[in-house]
Amino acid sequence: MTEIQHVLNEERLFPPSPEFSAKARIGSMREYQQLYDRAAENPVEFWSELARKELHWFQDFDQGMVWNEPFVEWFVGGKTNACYNCLDAHLNSETRDRNAIIWEGEPGDVRTLTYAELHEQVCKFANVLKSRGVGVGDVVSIYMPMVPELAITMLACARIGAVHSVIFGGFSAEAIADRNHDAQAKVQVTADGGWRRGKVLPLKETVDAALEKSSSVETCIVLRRTENDVVMKEDRDFWWHELMAEASSDCPAEALDSETPLFILYTSGSTGKPKGIKHTTAGYNLYAKMSFRWVFDWRPDDVYWCTADCGWITGHSYIVYGPLSNGATAVMYEGAPNHPEPDRFWELVEKHKVTTLYTAPTAIRAFIKWGDEHVEKHDLSSLRLLGTVGEGINPEAWVWYHEKIGSEKCPIVDTWWQTETGGIMMSPLPGAIPTKPGSCTVPLPGILPAIVDESGESVSEGAGGWLVFTHPWPGMLRGIWGDDERYQDVYWSKVKGSYLAGDNARKDQDGYYWIMGRIDDVINVSGHRLSTIEVESALVSHPSVAEAAAVGKSHELKGQAISAFVTIKEGEPNEELRNELKQHVRKEIGALAVPDEIRFAAAVPKTRSGKIMRRLLKDIAEGREQVGDTSTLEDYTVLANLRDDES
Ligand code: PRX
């Protein structure tokens, strides 16, 4: 038996309000279906038409797509530039003077940059990079706080055809050195520090240690942000402001082949070495632009805020390339959501009159735990649309987001995608698709998902199986940096002709998709294959539970038993609650999903990007990692910190 059983039923349906639909770009299911069908009929023609309309071409392309599985090229023969599409394309319209970025630092300092101002800064920094010998194909490693200069650096690279590799500011020196070595980075861009929970993160110090081991890096450019003391190494380290002072703002965008690499972004594999996911210029740019417009139903007067860090794909596609190529105004925030108080996000929404908020379920669960009083202090009436990304959202958290943040009037877009997909693949289009809590609903136009079993055959209706995509799309990764074999093996070897996403999913009777967790995380209890997300959602629907993680642990009779790790909203855990939670799962799902073991955790250990560290939890459940007394609140922070590679 290879199919995964679906055991949790969610029947609530939330259609968009007629007012929302009336103003939306795509305002009905029928309109969506027409667009979807047209795209599905001939995806290459569909994307080619859009590419000609939406991107600037220094030279038109002559082939829409060339597909030599597993390698794809889009818009072959054409020349464009992602930075040009994000900035120059707006300079002759009223967008020129619109804010591109509204930035707020953690200490409360605010800076805004119009499209014209951002363009000028990017041109200058592009010239700085050129003066340090950077040209087409050279890799620039970026390790910075969430400041406008991070976006400026990314765009400056795109402008001259250099490849950026952004490394999240929480990674260690070792992790930076590994990535710099793998990419053979030539220049490092960093800052003296960044603000996090009122303290300075000493970024330059970490970079100094990394550069000891990064022999390919010739130059390090340092932005002054926190004014803390740093050591500058002669002939290698230069201050951002000194180089910028001498730089000209005249720097025409290079006409680049469509498939010129735009960036590398490292993401963890299931084992060992991180994978350098490669994205290229034209296809990625088009996909980020269109998916942003469709999913966020973007309007010129929106103030859009994606709370992700540019160190992740969400920041690349939905802070930088997607919003800017549409001419949107994006909010960027440097610091923690609970500094100085747990109401910081809501203060920002009120202050900047944010209309669209895009955040992660892990943050939403934290807000629930911190208490509604922090939300209620603020006027959130500017919001019209909410989104989530990064992991499944448990229906209870979804409903809280809908009621407390969205005042029951904002549609929620639960967006499913991956670093590899470049952009959102499945999500409600908010004016057209009624939502169901916990479902990422339907594929975007031009995206062709299927659910198959291990032999590549379609599963029976409603059953869970592997999520695959049967046709390439423009935002698709082009490979793993320097490792074609691994690329072929991970994504293309298991199901012939299809991209294997590595997630399980099912499709319900309305054609809605429900993500069930990673393929490796399925729990097999007495031959019943259960999805982690469903067990977790059942636990989170209990009023005392803030967060839950379910993993399989070996069991002599059942094959596997469920071990659940639970954080509670307040108070001390006790035996009574443990039994109550088991009863609750029995009621919600049935006896087969009742966890054999429930452990109370001070916090569920997370990777730096907010995903549950399941491998660590499995090791704990199996007794391979010792944590001592399991009757009280367990703290896994120390263990989690040791697992640098799981990020
Ligand atoms: O398992 C899925 C989960 O996150 C994985 C991709 O992670 P990453 O490359 O870090 O990208 C995160 C930001 C796009 C997926 O394979 N995931 C992401 N979004 C969702 C999700 N799982 C369920 N629902 C989602 N909306």
Side-chain angles (χ1 to χ4, degrees), residues 398-411:
W398 193 103
V399 169
W400 182 89
Y401 197 33
H402 172 69
E403 290 174 354
K404 298 287 175 216
I405 308 303
S407 303
E408 302 185 24
K409 72 173 176 34
C410 304

Side-chain angles (χ1 to χ4, degrees), residues 267 313-314 388-393 414-420 440 501 503 515 518 533 609 611:
T267 178
I313 189 70
T314 309
T388 67
V389 58
E391 57 181 326
I393 176 159
D414 172 351
T415 63
W416 181 90
W417 58 298
Q418 309 176 297
T419 305
E420 291 88 339
C440 58
D503 280 9
I515 302 296
R518 299 290 295 167
I533 290 188
S609 67
K611 291 194 201 312

